[in-house]
Amino acid sequence: MSRQRDVPGAMSAGPLSRRALDRLPVYLRRLNALAAAGTEYVSSTELAAVAGASRDLVRKDLSALGQLGRPGKGYPVGVLEAAIEQILGISTHQPVILVGAGHLGTALVQYGGFAARGLDVVSVLDTDPQRVGQPCGELTIEDASRSAEVIERTGARLAILTVPGEAAQLAADDLVHYGIRGILNFAPVELEVPEEVSVRVVDVSAELQLLAFHHISGEAGSAR
């Protein structure tokens, strides 16, 4: 799939709310699958089903990208796919560095889905001397003390943080100081970063707790 497609008439992400932006990757995942299957058009009903939203909300989200729909047909898959990639900034591949080469970090590096979504993990950093110099997927783990050099060399502006909680803030401070502007944080702490830096938190334990709550609530409801 091409990663350098411009979409005439596509708008910036300005009109999109934060929740709408959160839905764009969900739409894109479905569009990627449809494109791979050779499907030419997709309806707002189908996108609403995968996003857990209403058709009206999907149409509102997509109207902010430009006039891309076709009356009686829906949205052209390739055009909509390219428009969302353009809004998300992945119409060209984005380099990403990962800090923390433990079990989780290693598993993420070996995950093959990033490249398909326009993201390339280009460097893995760690502070443990026993890990530095060891292979991690197709990369070699580098010393985290060289983060400035790595960021300059790779041009990365995005980072994945998979370090222990007590080390997360210091690691984030270094990343931001040397130019990182977006952090996907797996550490169980809230990071303090400047306003111009975006942080997305992945709290696996919290998500499991919510699943447990819904499971128990469902059992309690069925027992009444």
Side-chain angles (χ1 to χ4, degrees):
M1 180 172 57
S2 173
R3 291 284 170 185
Q4 295 184 345
R5 297 174 291 178
D6 291 327
V7 184
M11 298 171 64
S12 71
L16 289 164
S17 68
R18 181 61 178 267
R19 290 186 177 181
L21 284 169
D22 286 344
R23 287 188 288 271
L24 291 187
V26 180
Y27 301 150
L28 183 58
R29 182 166 60 244
R30 182 58 181 162
L31 291 166
N32 290 160
L34 291 172
T39 303
E40 294 185 1
Y41 286 89
V42 62
S43 68
S44 57
T45 300
E46 183 171 353
L47 293 176
V50 297
S54 68
R55 288 183 300 170
D56 288 342
L57 191 57
V58 170
R59 289 168 182 162
K60 181 180 178 181
D61 290 348
L62 300 183
S63 68
L65 307 184
Q67 299 300 319
L68 305 179
R70 301 289 187 272
K73 287 190 174 182
Y75 298 90
V77 169
V79 173
L80 184 55
E81 184 183 38
I84 294 177
E85 289 174 354
Q86 188 171 318
I87 290 294
L88 294 177
I90 57 172
S91 53
T92 58
H93 279 263
Q94 291 283 342
V96 182
I97 64 173
L98 183 141
V99 182
H103 294 301
L104 175 57
T106 299
L108 289 173
V109 171
Q110 294 175 341
Y111 168 61
F114 289 130
R117 290 170 172 80
L119 302 166
D120 291 328
V121 178
V122 294
S123 179
V124 183
L125 303 173
D126 203 282
T127 59
D128 187 346
Q130 295 185 344
R131 289 179 178 158
V132 173
Q134 297 298 312
C136 186
E138 297 181 356
L139 300 170
T140 299
I141 300 171
E142 301 184 75
D143 194 325
S145 66
R146 299 177 57 199
S147 58
E149 175 188 332
V150 170
I151 292 170
E152 181 178 2
R153 183 184 78 225
T154 62
R157 292 296 176 264
L158 305 176
I160 301 171
L161 202 56
T162 56
V163 300
E166 62 272 16
Q169 186 62 58
L170 182 58
D173 290 344
D174 284 344
L175 293 172
V176 171
H177 180 71
Y178 294 120
I180 292 298
R181 289 296 175 264
I183 298 174
L184 182 62
N185 178 32
F186 282 84
V189 295
E190 184 175 343
L191 299 176
E192 296 183 5
V193 298
E195 289 185 2
E196 66 270 18
V197 177
S198 298
V199 176
R200 300 286 294 186
V201 179
V202 181
D203 191 333
V204 177
S205 60
E207 295 300 327
L208 285 171
Q209 288 169 339
L210 288 172
L211 284 175
F213 167 78
H214 289 300
H215 172 65
I216 293 171
S217 298
E219 286 189 338
S222 63
R224 291 207 242 345

